[in-house]
């Protein structure tokens, strides 16, 4: 059972009396009826790539892990409706491939796509690198099939783009991190496939210049701008150190780089010319320091490999205090300046590994220990570092969990900053839908916060 009891980062290890692998919705329903009758806690699990500790059980050993990985069938494809109905255990990369084969695009994309499942993506309302143009997992879902904690099946797989018939149950289960029921299938939105991509790595003197580049690109190309990923120079160094096979994309080092991607539709050539001109004009004025444009599919893949290798490379440097924050794009430069200065003053020697989805106002404002400091020693500073970073985020009107969910990692932090009204409404929902508290206990909401 070991692989199902420890999370991807190896930060949480729980216990369980069994791991069960249903192969159909009927089997999930039977398991939940049984669990309900015998008061057995259930932790739903997909690819177990979650970063907040929501996918593994607690240490009581009284519950079961319900793994969806054997529910991995594509149920139907409807190209005219641009929709695809899949079971929850389908791996994200497989779904992207099915869409591609049908001449369409399923745009949810994240570095864990080879292992994470669509059920997990929806349960955490995952983001990733295509949000700027296509939205988060919630925006890509037209309907769900869910088994409730008492074992009833709700079939909401109609695949409609409009349906205003009361409270939106789909939106309630999306982002509920396994605490309200088990997602067993989903209807996903497909999009027309772009004709090609313009991908470039841009060296930048500061975040303010990155924000202005984003704004200029969006002004010129509108929705063609599909990704705008910001990476600090320090963060890029760490990736290059741990992935020596990847070459530095730009001749010199820069304080920040942005990985920019535009999806090209019919007017591709004109758009490419326009982009090149815009970037070159910004190099002339110094707003942009340097540009490397991918001129082949292999070069595009290599640029993305640098971005996708960040989490793993940082992990190899020792314990990382991770933050998954969102702010108004216009506040990001100010926030990073303030947070960096405050951390440098109170935590001498710490290193920052900042990167993220600038276009969505979402940064992974990660903090690494001083070079050579023992990971366990650095871990003891986590609460202090979190307090400083999260207080500043909230002061700026931001969120302390943009896309990874609360799990156990940010559960109490979220409760600290949410208003009493918000906590009361959330508790009321949990009580109404899972009155016995059997669904993923202790995740998202602490037991004493809702009972
Ligand atoms: P799991 O980890 O198995 O579960 C996550 C949560 O969902 C748990 O609370 C679990 O109980 C619940 N759950 C899972 N399946 C179901 C189901 N069928 N029904 C009900 N509840 C369920 N996330 C992003 O948003 N953006 C990123 O860019 C991103 N990059 C990542 C990069 C790496 C290298 C890694 C390791 C992770 C990254 N993640 C990212 C986090 C993670 O991949 C996502 O949260 C993903 O959506 C989790 O899917 P999963 O199938 O692995 O779910
Ligand atoms: Zn991310």
């Amino acid at each position: 059972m070991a692989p199902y009891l420890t999370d991807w980062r190896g930060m949480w290890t729980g216990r369980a009396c069994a791991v069960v692998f249903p192969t159909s919705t009927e089997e999930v329903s039977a398991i939940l009826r049984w669990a309900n009758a015998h008061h057995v806690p259930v932790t739903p699990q997909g690819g177990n790539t979650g970063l907040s500790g929501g996918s593994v059980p607690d240490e009581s050993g009284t519950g079961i892990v319900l793994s969806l990985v054997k529910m991995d069938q594509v149920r139907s494809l409807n190209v005219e409706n641009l929709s695809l109905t899949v079971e929850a255990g389908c791996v994200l990369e497989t779904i992207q491939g099915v869409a591609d084969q049908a001449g369409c695009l399923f745009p949810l994309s994240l570095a864990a796509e080879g292992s994470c499942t669509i059920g997990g993506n929806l349960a955490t309302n995952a983001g990733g690198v295509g949000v700027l143009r296509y939205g988060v997992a919630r925006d890509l879902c037209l309907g769900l099939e869910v088994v409730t904690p008492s074992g009833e099946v709700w079939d909401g797989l109609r695949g409609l783009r409009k349906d205003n018939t009361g409270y939106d149950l789909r939106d309630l289960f999306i982002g509920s991190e396994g605490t309200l029921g088990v997602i067993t299938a989903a209807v996903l939105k497909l999009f027309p496939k772009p004709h090609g991509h313009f991908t470039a790595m841009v060296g930048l003197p500061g975040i303010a210049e990155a924000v202005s580049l984003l704004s200029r690109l969006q002004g010129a190309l509108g929705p063609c701008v599909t990704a705008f990923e910001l990476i600090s120079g320090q963060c890029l160094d760490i990736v290059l150190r741990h992935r020596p096979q990847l070459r530095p994309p730009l001749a010199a080092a820069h304080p920040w780089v942005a990985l920019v991607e535009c999806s090209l539709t019919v007017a591709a050539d004109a758009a490419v010319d326009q982009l090149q001109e815009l970037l070159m004009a910004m190099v002339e004025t110094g707003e942009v320091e340097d540009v490397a444009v991918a001129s082949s599919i292999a070069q595009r893949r290599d640029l993305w490999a640098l971005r996708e290798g960040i989490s793993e490379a940082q992990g190899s440097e020792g314990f990382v205090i991770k933050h998954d924050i969102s702010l108004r794009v216009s506040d990001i430069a100010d926030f990073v300046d303030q947070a960096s200065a405050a951390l440098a003053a109170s935590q001498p020697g710490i290193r920052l590994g900042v990167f993220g989805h600038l276009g969505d106002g979402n940064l992974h404002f990660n903090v690494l220990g001083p070079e050579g400091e023992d990971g366990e020693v650095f871990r003891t500073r986590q609460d202090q570092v979190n307090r400083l970073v999260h207080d500043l985020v909230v002061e700026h009107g931001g969120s302390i969990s943009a896309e990874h969910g609360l799990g156990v990692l940010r559960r109490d932090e979220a409760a600290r900053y949410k208003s009493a009204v918000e906590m009361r409404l959330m508790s009321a929902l949990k009580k109404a839908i899972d009155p016995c508290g059997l669904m993923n206990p202790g995740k998202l909401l602490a037991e004493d916060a809702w009972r």
Side-chain angles (χ1 to χ4, degrees):
M1 298 201 297
Y4 303 91
L5 299 178
T6 297
D7 73 299
W8 184 83
R9 284 176 74 196
M11 278 183 61
W12 297 275
T13 297
R15 297 197 304 132
C17 41
V19 181
V20 298
F21 298 92
T23 57
S24 67
T25 305
E26 294 68 38
E27 285 183 9
V28 174
S29 163
I31 291 162
L32 291 197
R33 275 200 309 270
W34 169 86
N36 194 41
H38 298 277
H39 277 262
V40 177
V42 177
T43 297
Q45 189 180 89
N48 197 14
T49 69
L51 296 175
S52 307
S55 55
V56 291
D58 61 24
E59 286 165 6
S60 67
T62 54
I64 59 171
V65 173
L66 190 156
S67 167
L68 278 300
V69 292
K70 293 197 177 164
M71 284 189 66
D72 61 353
Q73 298 299 302
V74 172
R75 289 200 188 157
S76 64
L77 168 69
N78 184 338
V79 176
E80 286 177 339
N81 192 47
L82 281 172
S83 64
L84 179 66
T85 305
V86 296
E87 290 183 343
C90 276
V91 170
L92 175 55
E93 196 173 63
T94 309
I95 296 172
Q96 294 165 345
V98 171
D100 188 66
Q101 290 248 308
C104 300
L105 172 75
F106 181 61
L108 189 66
S109 174
L110 41 121
E113 63 200 21
S115 319
C116 64
T117 63
I118 194 67
N121 300 148
L122 289 164
T124 58
N125 189 21
V129 294
V131 176
L132 184 58
R133 161 73 178 88
Y134 298 103
V136 291
R138 181 186 304 284
D139 301 310
L140 302 173
C141 176
L142 293 171
L144 288 181
E145 178 186 82
V146 173
V147 179
T148 69
S150 60
E152 290 171 305
V153 179
W154 170 54
D155 178 353
L157 293 175
R158 286 181 293 278
L160 304 176
R161 269 151 223 271
K162 290 188 161 182
D163 179 15
N164 281 352
T165 51
Y167 302 135
D168 199 320
L169 298 178
R170 177 197 60 187
D171 273 353
L172 187 59
F173 287 106
I174 294 175
S176 66
E177 300 183 44
T179 63
L180 297 179
V182 178
I183 297 171
T184 47
V187 192
L188 305 174
K189 250 189 218 176
L190 301 180
F191 292 81
K193 200 153 61 173
H195 293 249
H197 297 96
F198 175 92
T199 310
M201 190 72 92
V202 183
L204 293 152
I207 297 185
E209 287 79 6
V211 170
S212 106
L213 170 62
L214 168 66
S215 192
R216 296 273 289 276
L217 287 172
Q218 286 182 308
L221 290 145
C224 289
V225 187
T226 36
F228 196 104
E229 298 288 304
L230 183 74
I231 307 171
S232 71
Q234 215 175 357
C235 194
L236 190 62
D237 279 350
I238 292 178
V239 182
L240 290 168
R241 184 154 73 233
H242 290 280
R243 299 278 292 271
Q245 70 280 25
L246 295 173
R247 293 222 311 275
L250 299 165
H254 301 272
W256 296 90
V257 298
L259 177 56
V260 178
E261 187 156 280
C262 299
S263 298
L264 305 171
T265 49
V266 267
D269 291 347
V272 169
D273 290 348
Q274 204 181 344
L275 275 164
Q276 308 256 30
E277 271 166 35
L278 177 69
L279 288 169
M280 289 312 146
M282 291 181 81
V283 171
E284 293 285 308
T285 60
E287 291 161 279
V288 159
E289 292 180 341
D290 195 7
V291 179
V293 176
S295 56
S296 65
I297 292 174
Q299 283 182 3
R300 173 180 181 236
R301 198 187 47 223
D302 285 352
L303 290 183
W304 275 106
L306 286 167
R307 166 64 186 84
E308 282 160 4
I310 296 175
S311 286
E312 222 157 316
Q314 288 190 345
S316 314
E317 291 277 307
F319 183 72
V320 182
I321 302 179
K322 293 197 174 210
H323 300 107
D324 171 32
I325 61 175
S326 70
L327 295 151
R328 285 178 290 271
V329 175
S330 49
D331 288 337
I332 286 194
D334 186 42
F335 167 83
V336 171
D337 279 351
Q338 286 186 31
S340 309
L343 278 172
S346 70
Q347 306 286 333
I350 55 110
R351 295 171 294 158
L352 291 178
V354 180
F355 65 100
H357 320 284
L358 184 75
D360 317 327
N362 175 196
L363 284 189
H364 299 307
F365 191 85
N366 290 353
V367 183
L368 286 71
E371 201 107 38
E373 181 175 294
D374 179 70
E376 285 312 305
V377 175
F378 181 54
R379 191 192 285 254
T380 60
R381 303 206 220 170
Q382 179 155 255
D383 288 350
Q384 281 166 286
V385 170
N386 283 346
R387 185 62 49 245
L388 190 153
V389 172
H390 289 161
D391 277 357
L392 257 181
V393 167
V394 173
E395 265 171 45
H396 280 80
S399 165
I400 63 149
S401 175
E403 59 172 10
H404 293 165
L406 301 179
V408 285
L409 179 63
R410 299 198 178 85
R411 179 193 72 186
D412 298 339
E413 286 290 280
R416 180 187 169 94
Y417 294 111
K418 277 186 186 292
S419 70
V421 182
E422 217 169 339
M423 289 304 289
R424 225 172 12 251
L425 290 171
M426 284 189 20
S427 306
L429 287 169
K430 174 75 176 169
K431 266 190 204 128
I433 295 171
D434 181 25
C436 302
L438 296 175
M439 293 306 307
N440 216 1
K443 315 297 167 49
L444 196 151
L445 277 174
E447 289 297 285
D448 57 5
W450 72 272
R451 275 190 193 269

